[in-house]
Amino acid sequence: MQDAAIQVLVGARLATLADPVDGPGAVVIAGERIAWVGPQAALPADYASAPRRDCEGRLVTPAFIDCHTHLVHGGHRAREFEMRLEGASYEEIARAGGGIVSTVAATRTASEDALLAQALPRLDALLAEGVSCVEVKSGYGLDVETELRMLRVARRLERERPVRVVTSFLGAHAIPAEYAGRADAYLDEICLPALHAAHAEGLVDAVDGFCEGIAFSADQMARVFAEAKRLGLPVKLHAEQLSHQGGTALAARCGALSADHVEYATEDDARAMAAAGTVAVLLPGAYYFIRETQAPPVAAFRAHGVKMAVATDANPGSSPLTSLLLAMNMACTLFRLTPEEALAGVTANAARALGLEDTGRIARGLRADLAIWDVETPAELAYRIGFNPLHARIFAGRS
Ligand SMILES: [Zn+2]
């Protein structure tokens, strides 16, 4: 610590998501870490001669964390969007080659370099809004080779940009056409072997799945989670988005990091999540884009003390969203989160949802991942639409 370069932020309005600091605050950054945080008036004398950066009253928050994205994928689904607006049915879109099948086809035929090139502008949009950490899932390959390729691209993002990437293996995302009606065979012949291969290559930080009538049942997901457990990998789940399938209860039983979407979760689910410490990841972009009408049970989550995160769910089919600021606004307008809850949802609770303990808050010893905003209060971050007040982003101590 002594040798690390020291810099001191002063004149900050601090939203630490940890111990509150009233009045002008200061943050001492030593190398990649936060060495001290508190009221500027109490800044230890040792740091008096260190280089200072005056925040001039700006709001300083932990850098944002997008804890649920499908950032790496081939192609887009703008034509499908158009067809739906023209009144086409789900079947008509599927017959025209639309739906997830089209993203799977576009992803399977794209090279690693092509997938990387397509993902980078989406990543850049997130970084421009103060994001320091992004979760990226596989799940559009649905064959061994492409699932691994997606995860390799996710890892490469970290080498291309100053960002931390956390990967999720999502082989249990959908049943590919060649396995139609044979979900269990798909799991045994493709999904689980792909998980083993990806894990052996060091590509998997967690295991995810889609528990839904149109995807995998809770029993099928339990098989995937058992395999994850054998490999020592944490789990998470897309659960109760379109109907109640028991995915949230399964997630809680397995000690999952998070249950995501959770629109149809019940009071009992909330109780089980709270007991298991499973974070509810709210994805208002998907709710908005596919015009869902059932909002997640936020009051039950609050009542039982379930931590709530907010993420973009950036994906080509149901949430082509690459703005966490807009996701915060939607979480407030559509799900009635308070701006403080929305901020916690993209910082401290998003870190929790990824099992990360060294980021997402401004506290001594944590990574110096910070965002400096041209606003004075967290409410200003959540209430504007389509406006980016980021002044500066600090990633592991570096601007
Ligand atoms: Zn998703």
Side-chain angles (χ1 to χ4, degrees):
M1 229 34 166
Q2 262 76 1
D3 298 327
I6 304 271
Q7 50 175 316
V8 183
L9 304 186
V10 295
R13 279 175 214 264
L14 287 171
T16 63
L17 284 290
D19 296 334
V21 176
D22 292 327
V27 181
V28 178
I29 299 170
E32 296 187 349
R33 301 271 155 180
I34 296 166
W36 187 89
V37 55
Q40 194 172 323
L43 186 68
D46 334 3
Y47 302 122
S49 59
R52 289 186 172 207
R53 174 178 191 160
D54 191 350
C55 296
E56 297 171 326
R58 294 185 179 92
L59 180 71
V60 178
T61 69
F64 284 3
I65 297 169
D66 196 349
C67 67
H68 182 139
T69 87
H70 305 253
L71 213 63
V72 173
H73 59 259
H76 62 77
R77 308 245 285 270
R79 176 60 194 138
E80 181 182 321
F81 177 65
E82 216 167 25
M83 282 179 75
R84 248 191 288 141
L85 291 170
E86 287 160 1
S89 68
Y90 181 82
E91 283 73 21
E92 286 166 326
I93 290 168
R95 251 184 282 123
I100 191 168
V101 177
S102 67
T103 301
V104 171
T107 306
R108 284 179 176 176
T109 52
S111 68
E112 208 177 294
D113 286 344
L115 287 174
L116 181 74
Q118 291 178 51
L120 281 173
R122 297 191 276 267
L123 177 63
D124 287 338
L126 293 173
L127 299 190
E129 290 187 352
V131 168
S132 66
C133 177
V134 181
E135 186 259 15
V136 180
K137 302 173 195 298
S138 69
Y140 289 118
L142 311 180
D143 62 31
V144 177
E145 195 190 305
T146 315
E147 287 295 304
L148 264 66
R149 190 159 71 246
M150 289 182 73
L151 293 170
R152 283 186 206 118
V153 173
R155 288 279 193 244
R156 276 180 70 184
L157 293 173
E158 214 172 47
R159 301 197 286 275
E160 297 285 331
R161 295 290 187 272
V163 68
R164 183 176 187 178
V165 171
V166 178
T167 60
S168 298
F169 174 81
L170 182 58
H173 190 196
I175 300 150
E178 59 272 25
Y179 278 92
R182 298 187 296 133
D184 281 295
Y186 167 74
L187 292 181
D188 290 326
E189 293 165 22
I190 304 293
C191 180
L192 297 180
L195 170 58
H196 278 267
H199 175 63
E201 216 178 293
L203 296 172
V204 185
D205 296 326
V207 174
D208 197 350
F210 186 26
C211 185
E212 193 56 69
I214 54 168
F216 298 92
S217 68
D219 286 345
Q220 286 162 340
M221 278 318 308
R223 294 213 291 127
V224 178
F225 283 1
E227 206 62 30
K229 195 177 174 190
R230 255 172 246 133
L231 296 173
L233 293 167
V235 298
K236 56 174 73 176
L237 191 61
H238 292 66
E240 334 300 3
Q241 181 188 7
L242 308 169
S243 60
H244 192 271
Q245 298 282 333
T248 308
L250 168 73
R253 248 192 337 270
C254 295
L257 291 170
S258 67
D260 301 35
H261 289 290
V262 292
E263 276 83 342
Y264 285 83
T266 63
E267 183 102 26
D268 281 346
D269 291 331
R271 209 173 283 121
M273 289 171 76
T278 299
V279 176
V281 176
L282 308 181
L283 304 168
Y287 176 92
Y288 163 85
F289 193 76
I290 61 176
R291 306 179 80 211
E292 285 182 68
T293 51
Q294 170 101 8
V298 165
F301 292 149
R302 277 194 198 114
H304 293 285
V306 176
K307 303 287 185 196
M308 293 181 281
V310 175
T312 61
D313 194 13
N315 80 71
S318 63
S319 187
L321 170 65
T322 47
S323 167
L324 263 185
L325 286 168
L326 184 51
M328 287 172 75
N329 174 271
M330 287 176 170
C332 294
T333 52
L334 300 174
F335 298 162
R336 315 312 289 166
L337 261 63
T338 67
E340 285 78 12
E341 286 173 328
L343 178 61
V346 297
T347 54
N349 292 344
R352 253 186 214 107
L354 297 179
L356 301 176
E357 288 174 359
D358 62 350
T359 190
R361 289 167 293 135
I362 304 177
R364 188 166 179 262
L366 301 197
R367 278 167 59 106
D369 295 335
L370 305 167
I372 306 174
W373 306 93
D374 275 323
V375 303
E376 296 181 355
T377 64
E380 288 178 80
L381 293 178
Y383 112 99
R384 288 204 173 85
I385 299 169
F387 181 75
N388 178 8
L390 186 75
H391 174 73
R393 169 185 176 276
I394 299 175
F395 176 72
R398 294 218 177 111
S399 300

